[in-house]
Each structure stands twice: as structure tokens, then as C-alpha cells.
Amino acid sequence: MNLDSCKQALMLRFGEIALKGLNRHKFEERLIHNLALKLKQYGSFQVTLSQSRIWIEPDLFTKNYSVAEIKVLLKQAEKVACSTFGIVSVSPVYSFTGEYADLLPVADELVQQHLNQGERTFKVVCKRGEKSFPMTSMEVMEQLGGDLLQKHPELKVDLHTPDFVVYVEIRKQFIVYSQIKQAVRGLPTSSSSRGLCLLSGGIDSPVAAYMMASRGMELEAIYFHTFPYTSDLAKQKVIDLAKIVSQYSGRVILHVVDFTEINLELNEKCEKDMITIVMRRMMMRIAEALAKKRDCKALITGESLGQVASQTTEAINATDEVAHMPIFRPLIGLDKEDTIKIARKIGTFETSIQPYDDCCTIFVAKHPKTRPNQAVSQTCDSNLDTEKLTELALTRIDSYDIRYDRIKEFKLDYSQIEDK
């Protein structure tokens, strides 16, 4: 018995889903569906649920993969699993049926891989689910650890901080592995409602989208484009950010609003120190109008309290006044460095810092009002036909169905679509 003769698969663990009650199966089914959908781009896989674990293995019934092909497929599947919301950790495992005598050569080959990497301390952890197996968990750990030490005198046991761990699970078959790779946790995408994220192209809003997707929310996004004042490179940057987020969420529907004419009217008719607040109020109106037509139940922003002039408590209140659906701000209490850490981790940071300004950067007052009151905000709005401008925006939207493996553009006149 050796590693190549074993059945190779991925064992996936989930955390928060296990706390669910009678509807737990819905979360499990959604998670398996999301995994299967994301795995299709790489090949044919079987994704199954057994004993509170999800198992991924190449589908050998549809194609006779070689050992080398199986290893490549599982490496690709591992990357998918680690970036799928709902999964806590992933282990590449080797499974086989037999007795203790069959376990030793498999564990020995696994240990040799770690020795080749310069690792010298280890421990053995065993869980025996199959109680008919003649040895207890402790007996397996003692026997296997002793046998491995005898075969490899350079090894040392370290029960507290070993270089590696040999894990053995005894079920109806042996399952052996030595790696536990952390995944993104959270809840499966689409296990919650749908939300519309105001995506600017900066550092914060993609992180906010990611964080809400991690709570099971299906993502759509809206971007306000002011060509030629902002270049098409700025729009492409937002599309690229949505695609990065879709690697985790599976899909992002991005709506690009031609905001130029509306923004010029705001600049012409509003006081300069209030232009940022008035512009954000207008964006909220348009976003909420679109959200209702797209069956989104909440808006999402990347605002963090006090970070910029438009994110003071008073400014946020002024923005919220024009919207009636919930507005989720997952970054509201985060320090900027914490947000940057998340952006680096999920891969959006380098794209976010590309030097292409959005309309919130270009159409901004030198000295914006930081503590606007309700009366001032309403007075500024009185110079505008906000209902007409909202309807105009809904006729000027290009939409993109963005998945991790493709982008499909479509266009609808949302002013003619009924609210959901």
C-alpha cells in the first residue's frame, strides 16, 4: 500500500452551518451547489456530504483520470474550496480499506514528504469513529508514532508545536492526512438575501462587498461613471474588482450608470461645500431605485465612521435620509489598516490603488461641509428634480454579469421594469 494506490480526495469542514437547526440542510445543499458550480471550470468532480464533512474527488465514472491528473485537479479544487464561503478548512486526504499493517506504509510515505522539506518534529493524532476496529485511538497513536520513530531515527516527537502532524481517522476506511488549510469561513453565498453594493473603485467598497458576501448575501453592485471626466480605465478597474470578488462570491452583477449629465447638473445647481453630500444623496436614490427593480433587499457601502468628510455621523444621516431600505456598512468601525489587511488578503488591494479617479474624487469640494444638518441638505435638494434625475439614471445603465471565469454584458431600461 502506498499513497498513489490510495483514493485521493479533499475533506472540507464547515463551522457555523453546524449550528443551524431544522434548516441546516438548506445551507449544506447551497454550499454543495456553490462548490459544484465553481469546480466545473476545471473538470468533472463529485461533491458529496457525509458525516458532517463535504468530500470532493475527481469523477472517475465520467473520465479515467491518471494519478498525475488527479493531483492537478485536486490542487485546483483545493483553491476553489478555500475561497468558497461556508468552508472553514480543507485537507487533502488519502483513504483506503485494510488493517493497521496497511496504515504504516501510507503514513511512512507521508512522513517522508515532510522530511524532504526539512521538518523533523511530529505527532500523531487519531480519531476512531469505527468502534469495531480492534485498536483504540490511543493505541493507534502510540503504535504508529513508535513505528515511525523506529523507521526514521532523525524524527522527534513534539506534542505542543510539531513541524507537522499525521492525522488518522478510522471510519469504515482509513483516512490519512497531514495538512489542514484554512478557508474563508462564513455562510454559503445566496443563503441570505440579495444586496446592492455601491462600488467606487477604492479600497473600501470591494472589502465591504466581500464581507457581506461572507454572510451569505448574493451580490450586485452599482458604479457611477462620469466619462470623460473619469476614464474608461476607471470603469475597467471596477469591473476587475468585481471579478476578484466573484472568485469568492461566485458571481457579481455590476451595473454601470452613466452619471455625467446628472453630476454636471448637481455641480451647476448646488452649493460647492455641499456637492459631496448632494451627490451621495443622489447616488443613494438611484441605487435604491435600482435595488427595488433587481429584488435587492439592502444597500451596501464601504463607509467607515469619520474616515472622510462625507462619513461623519451627520453626513451619513444626511445620506440615509433619502433611502428607505437597510444600508449595511460592514466597515463602519474598522481602522483603515484593518481594511487594507483584508484587501490584501482577498487580492483587491493592488487593483484598488491603481491611479484612476472616480467621480467622488474628481467632483469634490476643496472644503466640504462635514456636519450638514437636515434642513441644509433638503434646501440643496430643492434646486433639483431628483425624481426626474433618478428616472434618467435608470435609462442609462450598462450591466455586466461577472463570474470568476467569464463576463457577459447586457442592457435593460430599468425605468420600464416594475419594482420587485
Side-chain angles (χ1 to χ4, degrees), residues 334-380:
L334 286 189
D335 183 84
K336 187 70 173 185
E337 285 301 314
D338 294 328
T339 303
I340 289 173
K341 284 179 184 176
I342 299 172
R344 289 186 186 278
K345 185 182 85 170
I346 66 177
T348 56
F349 181 76
E350 294 300 327
T351 302
S352 290
I353 62 173
Q354 290 176 1
Y356 308 124
D357 293 328
D358 59 33
C359 62
C360 293
T361 307
I362 293 175
F363 293 92
V364 65
K366 278 190 176 182
H367 304 289
K369 192 177 287 291
T370 59
R371 302 184 185 280
N373 59 43
Q374 190 176 34
V376 171
S377 301
Q378 290 174 348
T379 299
C380 291

mmCIF file of all heavy atoms in Angstrom, residues 334-380:
data_model
loop_
_atom_site.group_PDB
_atom_site.id
_atom_site.type_symbol
_atom_site.label_atom_id
_atom_site.label_comp_id
_atom_site.label_asym_id
_atom_site.label_seq_id
_atom_site.Cartn_x
_atom_site.Cartn_y
_atom_site.Cartn_z
ATOM 1 N N LEU A 334 -14.134 49.895 11.507
ATOM 2 C CA LEU A 334 -12.783 49.383 11.252
ATOM 3 C C LEU A 334 -11.781 50.506 11.028
ATOM 4 O O LEU A 334 -12.087 51.522 10.398
ATOM 5 C CB LEU A 334 -12.771 48.473 10.023
ATOM 6 C CG LEU A 334 -13.379 47.077 10.140
ATOM 7 C CD1 LEU A 334 -13.076 46.274 8.887
ATOM 8 C CD2 LEU A 334 -12.862 46.339 11.359
ATOM 9 N N ASP A 335 -10.580 50.312 11.531
ATOM 10 C CA ASP A 335 -9.460 51.173 11.201
ATOM 11 C C ASP A 335 -9.053 50.916 9.746
ATOM 12 O O ASP A 335 -9.208 49.809 9.238
ATOM 13 C CB ASP A 335 -8.289 50.863 12.140
ATOM 14 C CG ASP A 335 -7.096 51.764 11.905
ATOM 15 O OD1 ASP A 335 -7.099 52.875 12.462
ATOM 16 O OD2 ASP A 335 -6.184 51.358 11.166
ATOM 17 N N LYS A 336 -8.529 51.953 9.087
ATOM 18 C CA LYS A 336 -8.151 51.815 7.678
ATOM 19 C C LYS A 336 -7.135 50.697 7.474
ATOM 20 O O LYS A 336 -7.202 49.948 6.486
ATOM 21 C CB LYS A 336 -7.568 53.137 7.169
ATOM 22 C CG LYS A 336 -7.296 53.147 5.669
ATOM 23 C CD LYS A 336 -8.600 53.161 4.877
ATOM 24 C CE LYS A 336 -8.360 53.343 3.389
ATOM 25 N NZ LYS A 336 -9.611 53.471 2.634
ATOM 26 N N GLU A 337 -6.194 50.547 8.402
ATOM 27 C CA GLU A 337 -5.191 49.490 8.267
ATOM 28 C C GLU A 337 -5.823 48.106 8.302
ATOM 29 O O GLU A 337 -5.366 47.187 7.617
ATOM 30 C CB GLU A 337 -4.130 49.613 9.369
ATOM 31 C CG GLU A 337 -3.137 50.736 9.152
ATOM 32 C CD GLU A 337 -2.371 50.585 7.844
ATOM 33 O OE1 GLU A 337 -1.903 49.463 7.550
ATOM 34 O OE2 GLU A 337 -2.258 51.583 7.104
ATOM 35 N N ASP A 338 -6.887 47.948 9.100
ATOM 36 C CA ASP A 338 -7.584 46.659 9.144
ATOM 37 C C ASP A 338 -8.249 46.366 7.803
ATOM 38 O O ASP A 338 -8.236 45.228 7.323
ATOM 39 C CB ASP A 338 -8.631 46.661 10.259
ATOM 40 C CG ASP A 338 -8.005 46.754 11.640
ATOM 41 O OD1 ASP A 338 -6.894 46.225 11.808
ATOM 42 O OD2 ASP A 338 -8.625 47.349 12.536
ATOM 43 N N THR A 339 -8.833 47.409 7.205
ATOM 44 C CA THR A 339 -9.456 47.237 5.893
ATOM 45 C C THR A 339 -8.415 46.880 4.839
ATOM 46 O O THR A 339 -8.639 46.007 3.986
ATOM 47 C CB THR A 339 -10.197 48.522 5.482
ATOM 48 O OG1 THR A 339 -11.160 48.857 6.482
ATOM 49 C CG2 THR A 339 -10.899 48.353 4.146
ATOM 50 N N ILE A 340 -7.259 47.527 4.893
ATOM 51 C CA ILE A 340 -6.186 47.243 3.935
ATOM 52 C C ILE A 340 -5.694 45.803 4.082
ATOM 53 O O ILE A 340 -5.416 45.122 3.086
ATOM 54 C CB ILE A 340 -5.028 48.245 4.118
ATOM 55 C CG1 ILE A 340 -5.465 49.636 3.630
ATOM 56 C CG2 ILE A 340 -3.776 47.791 3.373
ATOM 57 C CD1 ILE A 340 -4.460 50.744 3.912
ATOM 58 N N LYS A 341 -5.608 45.323 5.315
ATOM 59 C CA LYS A 341 -5.184 43.932 5.537
ATOM 60 C C LYS A 341 -6.134 42.963 4.845
ATOM 61 O O LYS A 341 -5.716 41.985 4.220
ATOM 62 C CB LYS A 341 -5.122 43.628 7.029
ATOM 63 C CG LYS A 341 -3.904 44.209 7.739
ATOM 64 C CD LYS A 341 -3.941 43.876 9.222
ATOM 65 C CE LYS A 341 -2.783 44.535 9.965
ATOM 66 N NZ LYS A 341 -2.870 44.283 11.428
ATOM 67 N N ILE A 342 -7.439 43.226 4.966
ATOM 68 C CA ILE A 342 -8.425 42.354 4.311
ATOM 69 C C ILE A 342 -8.296 42.469 2.799
ATOM 70 O O ILE A 342 -8.340 41.459 2.075
ATOM 71 C CB ILE A 342 -9.853 42.713 4.765
ATOM 72 C CG1 ILE A 342 -10.003 42.513 6.270
ATOM 73 C CG2 ILE A 342 -10.881 41.861 4.015
ATOM 74 C CD1 ILE A 342 -11.323 43.019 6.838
ATOM 75 N N ALA A 343 -8.115 43.707 2.296
ATOM 76 C CA ALA A 343 -7.982 43.915 0.851
ATOM 77 C C ALA A 343 -6.771 43.164 0.299
ATOM 78 O O ALA A 343 -6.830 42.573 -0.787
ATOM 79 C CB ALA A 343 -7.863 45.410 0.552
ATOM 80 N N ARG A 344 -5.681 43.176 1.047
ATOM 81 C CA ARG A 344 -4.501 42.423 0.608
ATOM 82 C C ARG A 344 -4.782 40.918 0.611
ATOM 83 O O ARG A 344 -4.384 40.192 -0.294
ATOM 84 C CB ARG A 344 -3.303 42.743 1.520
ATOM 85 C CG ARG A 344 -2.734 44.147 1.352
ATOM 86 C CD ARG A 344 -1.471 44.304 2.200
ATOM 87 N NE ARG A 344 -0.968 45.659 2.199
ATOM 88 C CZ ARG A 344 -0.218 46.197 1.248
ATOM 89 N NH1 ARG A 344 0.108 45.480 0.186
ATOM 90 N NH2 ARG A 344 0.217 47.443 1.338
ATOM 91 N N LYS A 345 -5.463 40.470 1.647
ATOM 92 C CA LYS A 345 -5.740 39.034 1.780
ATOM 93 C C LYS A 345 -6.621 38.515 0.644
ATOM 94 O O LYS A 345 -6.389 37.426 0.118
ATOM 95 C CB LYS A 345 -6.414 38.758 3.130
ATOM 96 C CG LYS A 345 -6.633 37.280 3.418
ATOM 97 C CD LYS A 345 -7.349 37.061 4.741
ATOM 98 C CE LYS A 345 -8.849 37.166 4.574
ATOM 99 N NZ LYS A 345 -9.599 36.724 5.765
ATOM 100 N N ILE A 346 -7.621 39.296 0.258
ATOM 101 C CA ILE A 346 -8.556 38.815 -0.763
ATOM 102 C C ILE A 346 -8.095 39.168 -2.185
ATOM 103 O O ILE A 346 -8.716 38.738 -3.162
ATOM 104 C CB ILE A 346 -9.982 39.343 -0.520
ATOM 105 C CG1 ILE A 346 -10.053 40.865 -0.705
ATOM 106 C CG2 ILE A 346 -10.461 38.944 0.875
ATOM 107 C CD1 ILE A 346 -11.460 41.438 -0.542
ATOM 108 N N GLY A 347 -7.035 39.973 -2.298
ATOM 109 C CA GLY A 347 -6.460 40.241 -3.613
ATOM 110 C C GLY A 347 -6.978 41.460 -4.334
ATOM 111 O O GLY A 347 -6.713 41.629 -5.534
ATOM 112 N N THR A 348 -7.706 42.359 -3.645
ATOM 113 C CA THR A 348 -8.241 43.554 -4.309
ATOM 114 C C THR A 348 -7.343 44.775 -4.170
ATOM 115 O O THR A 348 -7.500 45.751 -4.908
ATOM 116 C CB THR A 348 -9.633 43.914 -3.748
ATOM 117 O OG1 THR A 348 -9.541 44.089 -2.319
ATOM 118 C CG2 THR A 348 -10.644 42.815 -4.056
ATOM 119 N N PHE A 349 -6.408 44.754 -3.226
ATOM 120 C CA PHE A 349 -5.659 45.966 -2.877
ATOM 121 C C PHE A 349 -4.898 46.540 -4.066
ATOM 122 O O PHE A 349 -4.995 47.743 -4.357
ATOM 123 C CB PHE A 349 -4.695 45.681 -1.719
ATOM 124 C CG PHE A 349 -3.898 46.888 -1.294
ATOM 125 C CD1 PHE A 349 -4.479 47.894 -0.539
ATOM 126 C CD2 PHE A 349 -2.565 47.015 -1.661
ATOM 127 C CE1 PHE A 349 -3.751 49.010 -0.161
ATOM 128 C CE2 PHE A 349 -1.824 48.119 -1.289
ATOM 129 C CZ PHE A 349 -2.413 49.124 -0.527
ATOM 130 N N GLU A 350 -4.122 45.716 -4.766
ATOM 131 C CA GLU A 350 -3.283 46.217 -5.852
ATOM 132 C C GLU A 350 -4.117 46.827 -6.975
ATOM 133 O O GLU A 350 -3.694 47.787 -7.622
ATOM 134 C CB GLU A 350 -2.387 45.099 -6.401
ATOM 135 C CG GLU A 350 -1.346 44.591 -5.409
ATOM 136 C CD GLU A 350 -0.390 45.690 -4.950
ATOM 137 O OE1 GLU A 350 -0.102 46.594 -5.759
ATOM 138 O OE2 GLU A 350 0.066 45.631 -3.799
ATOM 139 N N THR A 351 -5.304 46.272 -7.211
ATOM 140 C CA THR A 351 -6.190 46.855 -8.225
ATOM 141 C C THR A 351 -6.801 48.153 -7.715
ATOM 142 O O THR A 351 -6.906 49.139 -8.460
ATOM 143 C CB THR A 351 -7.296 45.855 -8.599
ATOM 144 O OG1 THR A 351 -6.702 44.645 -9.074
ATOM 145 C CG2 THR A 351 -8.214 46.414 -9.681
ATOM 146 N N SER A 352 -7.191 48.189 -6.457
ATOM 147 C CA SER A 352 -7.834 49.376 -5.884
ATOM 148 C C SER A 352 -6.936 50.603 -5.906
ATOM 149 O O SER A 352 -7.427 51.732 -6.012
ATOM 150 C CB SER A 352 -8.268 49.096 -4.439
ATOM 151 O OG SER A 352 -9.339 48.182 -4.395
ATOM 152 N N ILE A 353 -5.626 50.406 -5.784
ATOM 153 C CA ILE A 353 -4.730 51.563 -5.714
ATOM 154 C C ILE A 353 -4.233 52.010 -7.087
ATOM 155 O O ILE A 353 -3.400 52.926 -7.184
ATOM 156 C CB ILE A 353 -3.518 51.288 -4.793
ATOM 157 C CG1 ILE A 353 -2.669 50.131 -5.311
ATOM 158 C CG2 ILE A 353 -3.980 51.025 -3.364
ATOM 159 C CD1 ILE A 353 -1.377 49.920 -4.540
ATOM 160 N N GLN A 354 -4.746 51.416 -8.158
ATOM 161 C CA GLN A 354 -4.407 51.921 -9.485
ATOM 162 C C GLN A 354 -4.877 53.369 -9.604
ATOM 163 O O GLN A 354 -5.973 53.706 -9.141
ATOM 164 C CB GLN A 354 -5.059 51.054 -10.572
ATOM 165 C CG GLN A 354 -4.455 49.672 -10.693
ATOM 166 C CD GLN A 354 -5.183 48.797 -11.696
ATOM 167 O OE1 GLN A 354 -6.142 49.229 -12.337
ATOM 168 N NE2 GLN A 354 -4.754 47.554 -11.832
ATOM 169 N N PRO A 355 -4.093 54.259 -10.235
ATOM 170 C CA PRO A 355 -4.353 55.709 -10.178
ATOM 171 C C PRO A 355 -5.422 56.201 -11.147
ATOM 172 O O PRO A 355 -5.194 57.102 -11.958
ATOM 173 C CB PRO A 355 -2.982 56.307 -10.531
ATOM 174 C CG PRO A 355 -2.380 55.296 -11.462
ATOM 175 C CD PRO A 355 -2.844 53.954 -10.969
ATOM 176 N N TYR A 356 -6.622 55.622 -11.067
ATOM 177 C CA TYR A 356 -7.720 56.073 -11.916
ATOM 178 C C TYR A 356 -8.833 56.590 -11.015
ATOM 179 O O TYR A 356 -9.482 55.816 -10.307
ATOM 180 C CB TYR A 356 -8.225 54.931 -12.802
ATOM 181 C CG TYR A 356 -7.119 54.242 -13.572
ATOM 182 C CD1 TYR A 356 -6.926 52.870 -13.466
ATOM 183 C CD2 TYR A 356 -6.264 54.969 -14.389
ATOM 184 C CE1 TYR A 356 -5.900 52.237 -14.162
ATOM 185 C CE2 TYR A 356 -5.235 54.345 -15.094
ATOM 186 C CZ TYR A 356 -5.059 52.984 -14.971
ATOM 187 O OH TYR A 356 -4.042 52.374 -15.652
ATOM 188 N N ASP A 357 -9.062 57.909 -11.056
ATOM 189 C CA ASP A 357 -10.009 58.539 -10.139
ATOM 190 C C ASP A 357 -11.446 58.229 -10.517
ATOM 191 O O ASP A 357 -11.786 58.049 -11.692
ATOM 192 C CB ASP A 357 -9.815 60.061 -10.141
ATOM 193 C CG ASP A 357 -8.484 60.473 -9.538
ATOM 194 O OD1 ASP A 357 -8.027 59.755 -8.634
ATOM 195 O OD2 ASP A 357 -7.914 61.487 -9.979
ATOM 196 N N ASP A 358 -12.323 58.164 -9.491
ATOM 197 C CA ASP A 358 -13.753 58.051 -9.743
ATOM 198 C C ASP A 358 -14.396 59.418 -9.528
ATOM 199 O O ASP A 358 -13.739 60.392 -9.172
ATOM 200 C CB ASP A 358 -14.385 56.992 -8.837
ATOM 201 C CG ASP A 358 -14.199 57.293 -7.363
ATOM 202 O OD1 ASP A 358 -14.183 58.480 -6.985
ATOM 203 O OD2 ASP A 358 -14.074 56.337 -6.567
ATOM 204 N N CYS A 359 -15.712 59.489 -9.741
ATOM 205 C CA CYS A 359 -16.384 60.788 -9.682
ATOM 206 C C CYS A 359 -16.371 61.379 -8.278
ATOM 207 O O CYS A 359 -16.403 62.602 -8.105
ATOM 208 C CB CYS A 359 -17.821 60.668 -10.193
ATOM 209 S SG CYS A 359 -18.869 59.572 -9.226
ATOM 210 N N CYS A 360 -16.311 60.533 -7.259
ATOM 211 C CA CYS A 360 -16.281 61.036 -5.888
ATOM 212 C C CYS A 360 -14.954 61.727 -5.588
ATOM 213 O O CYS A 360 -14.849 62.506 -4.643
ATOM 214 C CB CYS A 360 -16.499 59.896 -4.895
ATOM 215 S SG CYS A 360 -18.151 59.197 -4.971
ATOM 216 N N THR A 361 -13.929 61.427 -6.381
ATOM 217 C CA THR A 361 -12.617 62.049 -6.196
ATOM 218 C C THR A 361 -12.515 63.348 -6.990
ATOM 219 O O THR A 361 -11.973 64.347 -6.525
ATOM 220 C CB THR A 361 -11.504 61.087 -6.656
ATOM 221 O OG1 THR A 361 -11.667 59.834 -6.000
ATOM 222 C CG2 THR A 361 -10.130 61.647 -6.324
ATOM 223 N N ILE A 362 -13.067 63.339 -8.215
ATOM 224 C CA ILE A 362 -12.928 64.495 -9.109
ATOM 225 C C ILE A 362 -13.923 65.594 -8.755
ATOM 226 O O ILE A 362 -13.564 66.763 -8.637
ATOM 227 C CB ILE A 362 -13.111 64.038 -10.571
ATOM 228 C CG1 ILE A 362 -11.932 63.136 -10.963
ATOM 229 C CG2 ILE A 362 -13.198 65.234 -11.511
ATOM 230 C CD1 ILE A 362 -12.050 62.522 -12.331
ATOM 231 N N PHE A 363 -15.197 65.232 -8.571
ATOM 232 C CA PHE A 363 -16.231 66.221 -8.274
ATOM 233 C C PHE A 363 -16.366 66.375 -6.763
ATOM 234 O O PHE A 363 -17.345 65.946 -6.157
ATOM 235 C CB PHE A 363 -17.565 65.797 -8.889
ATOM 236 C CG PHE A 363 -17.563 65.806 -10.389
ATOM 237 C CD1 PHE A 363 -17.234 64.670 -11.115
ATOM 238 C CD2 PHE A 363 -17.871 66.956 -11.094
ATOM 239 C CE1 PHE A 363 -17.227 64.673 -12.497
ATOM 240 C CE2 PHE A 363 -17.878 66.973 -12.484
ATOM 241 C CZ PHE A 363 -17.543 65.831 -13.195
ATOM 242 N N VAL A 364 -15.391 67.004 -6.163
ATOM 243 C CA VAL A 364 -15.400 67.145 -4.717
ATOM 244 C C VAL A 364 -14.980 68.568 -4.356
ATOM 245 O O VAL A 364 -14.122 69.166 -5.027
ATOM 246 C CB VAL A 364 -14.464 66.103 -4.046
ATOM 247 C CG1 VAL A 364 -13.015 66.358 -4.423
ATOM 248 C CG2 VAL A 364 -14.631 66.095 -2.544
ATOM 249 N N ALA A 365 -15.584 69.129 -3.320
ATOM 250 C CA ALA A 365 -15.268 70.488 -2.887
ATOM 251 C C ALA A 365 -13.922 70.519 -2.172
ATOM 252 O O ALA A 365 -13.507 69.540 -1.556
ATOM 253 C CB ALA A 365 -16.366 70.997 -1.965
ATOM 254 N N LYS A 366 -13.241 71.680 -2.275
ATOM 255 C CA LYS A 366 -11.987 71.828 -1.544
ATOM 256 C C LYS A 366 -12.223 71.794 -0.040
ATOM 257 O O LYS A 366 -11.424 71.262 0.718
ATOM 258 C CB LYS A 366 -11.318 73.160 -1.934
ATOM 259 C CG LYS A 366 -10.526 73.090 -3.224
ATOM 260 C CD LYS A 366 -9.713 74.363 -3.411
ATOM 261 C CE LYS A 366 -8.832 74.247 -4.654
ATOM 262 N NZ LYS A 366 -7.990 75.476 -4.841
ATOM 263 N N HIS A 367 -13.328 72.401 0.388
ATOM 264 C CA HIS A 367 -13.651 72.452 1.810
ATOM 265 C C HIS A 367 -15.091 71.987 2.011
ATOM 266 O O HIS A 367 -16.003 72.798 2.220
ATOM 267 C CB HIS A 367 -13.458 73.870 2.364
ATOM 268 C CG HIS A 367 -12.077 74.419 2.135
ATOM 269 N ND1 HIS A 367 -10.971 73.951 2.810
ATOM 270 C CD2 HIS A 367 -11.629 75.377 1.262
ATOM 271 C CE1 HIS A 367 -9.896 74.602 2.395
ATOM 272 N NE2 HIS A 367 -10.261 75.471 1.451
ATOM 273 N N PRO A 368 -15.330 70.686 1.935
ATOM 274 C CA PRO A 368 -16.705 70.178 2.051
ATOM 275 C C PRO A 368 -17.264 70.352 3.454
ATOM 276 O O PRO A 368 -16.532 70.331 4.441
ATOM 277 C CB PRO A 368 -16.545 68.694 1.705
ATOM 278 C CG PRO A 368 -15.133 68.374 2.058
ATOM 279 C CD PRO A 368 -14.341 69.611 1.781
ATOM 280 N N LYS A 369 -18.569 70.524 3.514
ATOM 281 C CA LYS A 369 -19.245 70.608 4.802
ATOM 282 C C LYS A 369 -19.242 69.224 5.455
ATOM 283 O O LYS A 369 -19.669 68.248 4.854
ATOM 284 C CB LYS A 369 -20.674 71.116 4.622
ATOM 285 C CG LYS A 369 -21.371 71.510 5.916
ATOM 286 C CD LYS A 369 -22.754 72.068 5.638
ATOM 287 C CE LYS A 369 -22.701 73.466 5.041
ATOM 288 N NZ LYS A 369 -22.232 74.479 6.021
ATOM 289 N N THR A 370 -18.744 69.152 6.692
ATOM 290 C CA THR A 370 -18.599 67.854 7.362
ATOM 291 C C THR A 370 -19.757 67.536 8.296
ATOM 292 O O THR A 370 -19.957 66.375 8.647
ATOM 293 C CB THR A 370 -17.288 67.803 8.161
ATOM 294 O OG1 THR A 370 -17.291 68.861 9.123
ATOM 295 C CG2 THR A 370 -16.079 67.933 7.240
ATOM 296 N N ARG A 371 -20.504 68.555 8.702
ATOM 297 C CA ARG A 371 -21.609 68.320 9.636
ATOM 298 C C ARG A 371 -22.894 68.963 9.121
ATOM 299 O O ARG A 371 -23.449 69.872 9.743
ATOM 300 C CB ARG A 371 -21.260 68.852 11.027
ATOM 301 C CG ARG A 371 -20.000 68.219 11.607
ATOM 302 C CD ARG A 371 -19.725 68.676 13.025
ATOM 303 N NE ARG A 371 -18.468 68.167 13.516
ATOM 304 C CZ ARG A 371 -18.275 66.933 13.988
ATOM 305 N NH1 ARG A 371 -19.281 66.091 14.044
ATOM 306 N NH2 ARG A 371 -17.085 66.561 14.418
ATOM 307 N N PRO A 372 -23.370 68.497 7.962
ATOM 308 C CA PRO A 372 -24.582 69.099 7.390
ATOM 309 C C PRO A 372 -25.814 68.725 8.206
ATOM 310 O O PRO A 372 -25.927 67.603 8.697
ATOM 311 C CB PRO A 372 -24.647 68.477 5.998
ATOM 312 C CG PRO A 372 -23.971 67.149 6.168
ATOM 313 C CD PRO A 372 -22.875 67.368 7.165
ATOM 314 N N ASN A 373 -26.721 69.681 8.375
ATOM 315 C CA ASN A 373 -27.972 69.339 9.055
ATOM 316 C C ASN A 373 -29.049 69.026 8.025
ATOM 317 O O ASN A 373 -28.887 69.256 6.825
ATOM 318 C CB ASN A 373 -28.412 70.453 10.012
ATOM 319 C CG ASN A 373 -28.621 71.776 9.305
ATOM 320 O OD1 ASN A 373 -29.206 71.823 8.224
ATOM 321 N ND2 ASN A 373 -28.133 72.862 9.910
ATOM 322 N N GLN A 374 -30.144 68.524 8.507
ATOM 323 C CA GLN A 374 -31.214 68.062 7.622
ATOM 324 C C GLN A 374 -31.763 69.201 6.768
ATOM 325 O O GLN A 374 -32.001 69.035 5.575
ATOM 326 C CB GLN A 374 -32.327 67.438 8.466
ATOM 327 C CG GLN A 374 -33.384 66.712 7.654
ATOM 328 C CD GLN A 374 -34.407 66.045 8.563
ATOM 329 O OE1 GLN A 374 -34.730 66.560 9.635
ATOM 330 N NE2 GLN A 374 -34.911 64.907 8.140
ATOM 331 N N ALA A 375 -31.930 70.359 7.362
ATOM 332 C CA ALA A 375 -32.519 71.490 6.646
ATOM 333 C C ALA A 375 -31.640 71.930 5.480
ATOM 334 O O ALA A 375 -32.130 72.200 4.373
ATOM 335 C CB ALA A 375 -32.729 72.662 7.613
ATOM 336 N N VAL A 376 -30.318 71.993 5.707
ATOM 337 C CA VAL A 376 -29.394 72.404 4.646
ATOM 338 C C VAL A 376 -29.421 71.397 3.496
ATOM 339 O O VAL A 376 -29.450 71.775 2.314
ATOM 340 C CB VAL A 376 -27.959 72.547 5.203
ATOM 341 C CG1 VAL A 376 -26.963 72.755 4.071
ATOM 342 C CG2 VAL A 376 -27.884 73.691 6.193
ATOM 343 N N SER A 377 -29.422 70.117 3.829
ATOM 344 C CA SER A 377 -29.447 69.078 2.790
ATOM 345 C C SER A 377 -30.716 69.164 1.962
ATOM 346 O O SER A 377 -30.683 69.069 0.725
ATOM 347 C CB SER A 377 -29.343 67.687 3.431
ATOM 348 O OG SER A 377 -28.155 67.565 4.171
ATOM 349 N N GLN A 378 -31.842 69.381 2.621
ATOM 350 C CA GLN A 378 -33.115 69.458 1.901
ATOM 351 C C GLN A 378 -33.197 70.709 1.041
ATOM 352 O O GLN A 378 -33.769 70.689 -0.054
ATOM 353 C CB GLN A 378 -34.269 69.404 2.902
ATOM 354 C CG GLN A 378 -34.426 68.043 3.560
ATOM 355 C CD GLN A 378 -35.476 68.032 4.653
ATOM 356 O OE1 GLN A 378 -35.948 69.083 5.098
ATOM 357 N NE2 GLN A 378 -35.840 66.841 5.103
ATOM 358 N N THR A 379 -32.596 71.809 1.515
ATOM 359 C CA THR A 379 -32.574 73.055 0.738
ATOM 360 C C THR A 379 -31.789 72.868 -0.554
ATOM 361 O O THR A 379 -32.205 73.308 -1.629
ATOM 362 C CB THR A 379 -31.955 74.201 1.562
ATOM 363 O OG1 THR A 379 -32.747 74.413 2.723
ATOM 364 C CG2 THR A 379 -31.891 75.489 0.747
ATOM 365 N N CYS A 380 -30.646 72.192 -0.453
ATOM 366 C CA CYS A 380 -29.840 71.924 -1.656
ATOM 367 C C CYS A 380 -30.601 71.050 -2.639
ATOM 368 O O CYS A 380 -30.554 71.267 -3.859
ATOM 369 C CB CYS A 380 -28.537 71.257 -1.267
ATOM 370 S SG CYS A 380 -27.399 72.324 -0.366
#
